[in-house]
Protein backbone atom coordinates (compact mmCIF):
# COMPACT_ATOMS: atom_id res chain seq x y z
CA UNK A 1 0.00 0.00 0.00
CA UNK A 2 1.45 3.36 -1.06
CA UNK A 3 1.90 6.09 1.53
CA UNK A 4 -0.41 9.06 1.25
CA UNK A 5 1.61 12.18 0.39
CA UNK A 6 1.60 14.76 3.16
CA UNK A 7 0.47 18.25 2.21
CA UNK A 8 2.59 20.94 3.86
CA UNK A 9 0.70 23.25 6.21
CA UNK A 10 1.52 26.34 4.15
CA UNK A 11 -0.17 24.90 1.03
CA UNK A 12 -3.87 25.71 0.93
CA UNK A 13 -6.59 27.10 -1.37
CA UNK A 14 -5.25 30.65 -0.97
CA UNK A 15 -1.55 29.80 -1.32
CA UNK A 16 0.70 32.58 -2.65
CA UNK A 17 4.43 32.51 -3.41
CA UNK A 18 5.18 36.00 -2.09
CA UNK A 19 8.92 35.85 -2.88
CA UNK A 20 8.35 34.96 -6.54
CA UNK A 21 5.61 37.59 -6.84
CA UNK A 22 7.86 40.27 -5.34
CA UNK A 23 10.74 39.34 -7.66
CA UNK A 24 8.32 39.43 -10.63
CA UNK A 25 7.26 42.98 -9.76
CA UNK A 26 10.89 44.05 -9.29
CA UNK A 27 11.79 42.61 -12.72
CA UNK A 28 8.92 44.44 -14.38
CA UNK A 29 9.91 47.70 -12.66
CA UNK A 30 13.56 47.30 -13.68
CA UNK A 31 13.91 44.88 -16.61
CA UNK A 32 17.58 43.89 -16.55
CA UNK A 33 19.61 40.71 -16.19
CA UNK A 34 20.17 41.29 -12.48
CA UNK A 35 16.42 41.31 -11.79
CA UNK A 36 15.78 38.43 -14.21
CA UNK A 37 18.35 36.34 -12.31
CA UNK A 38 16.67 37.23 -9.00
CA UNK A 39 13.25 36.31 -10.42
CA UNK A 40 14.45 32.95 -11.76
CA UNK A 41 16.14 32.15 -8.44
CA UNK A 42 12.97 33.12 -6.52
CA UNK A 43 10.90 30.82 -8.76
CA UNK A 44 12.91 27.84 -7.51
CA UNK A 45 11.57 28.16 -3.97
CA UNK A 46 8.17 27.31 -2.58
CA UNK A 47 5.33 26.36 -4.89
CA UNK A 48 3.71 27.48 -8.12
CA UNK A 49 0.17 26.96 -9.34
CA UNK A 50 -0.85 25.32 -12.62
CA UNK A 51 -4.29 25.24 -14.20
CA UNK A 52 -5.46 21.63 -14.46
CA UNK A 53 -8.98 22.50 -15.59
CA UNK A 54 -8.35 20.72 -18.89
CA UNK A 55 -9.94 17.40 -19.74
CA UNK A 56 -9.13 14.48 -17.50
CA UNK A 57 -9.44 10.78 -17.88
CA UNK A 58 -8.57 7.66 -15.95
CA UNK A 59 -5.52 6.91 -18.08
CA UNK A 60 -4.14 10.43 -18.41
CA UNK A 61 -5.04 12.03 -15.10
CA UNK A 62 -5.48 15.81 -15.21
CA UNK A 63 -4.24 17.77 -18.20
CA UNK A 64 -2.55 21.10 -17.83
CA UNK A 65 -4.38 23.86 -19.62
CA UNK A 66 -2.13 25.54 -22.19
CA UNK A 67 -2.33 28.74 -24.17
CA UNK A 68 -1.05 29.68 -27.62
CA UNK A 69 1.13 32.56 -28.67
CA UNK A 70 0.06 34.91 -31.45
CA UNK A 71 2.01 32.60 -33.79
CA UNK A 72 0.19 29.51 -32.54
CA UNK A 73 3.08 28.20 -30.41
CA UNK A 74 2.45 26.51 -27.06
CA UNK A 75 2.88 28.62 -23.93
CA UNK A 76 2.76 27.21 -20.40
CA UNK A 77 0.70 29.37 -18.02
CA UNK A 78 2.09 29.41 -14.46
CA UNK A 79 0.82 31.35 -11.47
CA UNK A 80 2.40 32.57 -8.23
CA UNK A 81 -0.87 32.09 -6.36
CA UNK A 82 -4.31 30.54 -6.52
CA UNK A 83 -5.70 34.08 -6.55
CA UNK A 84 -3.80 34.81 -9.77
CA UNK A 85 -5.23 31.65 -11.34
CA UNK A 86 -8.76 32.58 -10.25
CA UNK A 87 -8.32 36.06 -11.76
CA UNK A 88 -7.96 34.71 -15.33
CA UNK A 89 -11.25 32.83 -15.22
CA UNK A 90 -14.59 34.63 -15.66
CA UNK A 91 -16.63 34.65 -12.44
CA UNK A 92 -19.39 32.50 -13.95
CA UNK A 93 -16.88 29.70 -14.71
CA UNK A 94 -14.85 29.70 -11.49
CA UNK A 95 -16.75 26.68 -10.19
CA UNK A 96 -15.12 24.64 -13.01
CA UNK A 97 -11.61 25.87 -12.16
CA UNK A 98 -9.07 23.35 -10.89
CA UNK A 99 -5.64 24.44 -9.81
CA UNK A 100 -2.74 22.34 -8.61
CA UNK A 101 -0.20 23.77 -6.18
CA UNK A 102 3.08 22.07 -7.11
CA UNK A 103 6.63 22.29 -5.82
CA UNK A 104 8.10 25.13 -7.87
CA UNK A 105 10.81 23.15 -9.66
CA UNK A 106 8.30 20.47 -10.70
CA UNK A 107 5.99 23.13 -12.11
CA UNK A 108 8.89 24.77 -13.96
CA UNK A 109 10.00 21.38 -15.34
CA UNK A 110 6.64 21.07 -17.11
CA UNK A 111 8.16 23.33 -19.78
CA UNK A 112 9.98 20.27 -21.14
CA UNK A 113 6.84 18.09 -21.19
CA UNK A 114 5.74 19.42 -24.58
CA UNK A 115 6.77 21.83 -27.33
CA UNK A 116 6.40 24.91 -25.12
CA UNK A 117 8.30 27.96 -26.37
CA UNK A 118 7.77 29.96 -23.17
CA UNK A 119 5.91 30.24 -19.89
CA UNK A 120 3.60 33.09 -19.00
CA UNK A 121 3.51 34.08 -15.35
CA UNK A 122 0.43 35.59 -13.69
CA UNK A 123 -1.49 36.29 -16.89
CA UNK A 124 -4.23 38.31 -15.18
CA UNK A 125 -1.98 40.92 -13.60
CA UNK A 126 1.70 40.75 -14.54
CA UNK A 127 1.48 38.77 -17.78
CA UNK A 128 5.23 38.17 -18.00
CA UNK A 129 6.36 35.82 -20.78
CA UNK A 130 9.67 34.05 -20.13
CA UNK A 131 11.44 32.05 -22.84
CA UNK A 132 11.80 28.30 -22.43
CA UNK A 133 15.59 28.42 -22.02
CA UNK A 134 15.26 30.61 -18.93
CA UNK A 135 12.42 28.55 -17.42
CA UNK A 136 14.45 25.36 -18.00
CA UNK A 137 17.42 27.00 -16.29
CA UNK A 138 15.22 27.87 -13.29
CA UNK A 139 14.00 24.26 -13.14
CA UNK A 140 17.59 23.04 -12.82
CA UNK A 141 20.31 23.35 -10.22
CA UNK A 142 22.86 25.60 -11.96
CA UNK A 143 23.54 28.92 -10.28
CA UNK A 144 21.76 31.79 -12.04
CA UNK A 145 23.60 35.09 -12.33
CA UNK A 146 23.15 38.19 -14.46
CA UNK A 147 26.39 37.34 -16.29
CA UNK A 148 25.29 33.78 -17.09
CA UNK A 149 21.94 35.05 -18.39
CA UNK A 150 23.56 37.71 -20.53
CA UNK A 151 25.82 35.09 -22.11
CA UNK A 152 22.72 33.08 -23.11
CA UNK A 153 21.44 35.83 -25.45
Amino acid sequence: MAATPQIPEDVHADYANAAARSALHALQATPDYEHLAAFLEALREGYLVVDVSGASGKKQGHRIRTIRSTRGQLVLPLFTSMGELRAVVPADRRDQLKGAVMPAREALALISSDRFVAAEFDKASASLVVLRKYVSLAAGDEPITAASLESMR
Side-chain angles (χ1 to χ4, degrees):
M1 184 173 184
T4 304
Q6 297 297 312
I7 299 172
E9 284 184 28
D10 60 339
V11 175
H12 47 77
D14 294 317
Y15 175 80
N17 186 330
R21 184 94 180 127
S22 176
L24 173 62
H25 288 301
L27 172 60
Q28 288 186 310
T30 309
D32 59 19
Y33 287 110
E34 202 67 44
H35 285 92
L36 178 58
F39 174 61
L40 296 175
E41 283 283 347
L43 285 175
R44 290 176 161 179
E45 302 302 320
Y47 300 87
L48 293 172
V49 179
V50 295
D51 182 349
V52 292
S53 301
S56 63
K58 287 185 178 183
K59 290 184 180 178
Q60 305 154 307
H62 289 288
R63 283 189 40 189
I64 296 167
R65 186 171 296 219
T66 60
I67 54 179
R68 297 242 177 217
S69 71
T70 55
R71 294 183 181 161
Q73 299 165 304
L74 279 178
V75 176
L76 175 66
L78 294 172
F79 304 90
T80 58
S81 71
M82 288 297 292
E84 284 292 328
L85 172 58
R86 287 184 202 106
V88 298
V89 178
D92 63 332
R93 292 191 20 227
R94 286 205 181 119
D95 62 328
Q96 300 167 12
L97 180 69
K98 293 178 188 164
V101 180
M102 300 177 67
R105 288 186 195 229
E106 287 180 31
L108 294 167
L110 291 171
I111 197 85
S112 61
S113 67
D114 207 336
R115 298 176 313 251
F116 293 108
V117 297
E120 184 170 14
F121 292 88
D122 291 351
K123 184 168 181 62
S125 63
S127 195
L128 177 70
V129 176
V130 179
L131 292 174
R132 179 185 180 123
K133 64 183 177 181
Y134 298 121
V135 176
S136 294
L137 181 64
D141 294 323
E142 291 180 41
I144 301 173
T145 64
S148 67
L149 293 175
E150 195 165 1
S151 71
M152 290 174 67
R153 280 195 298 174

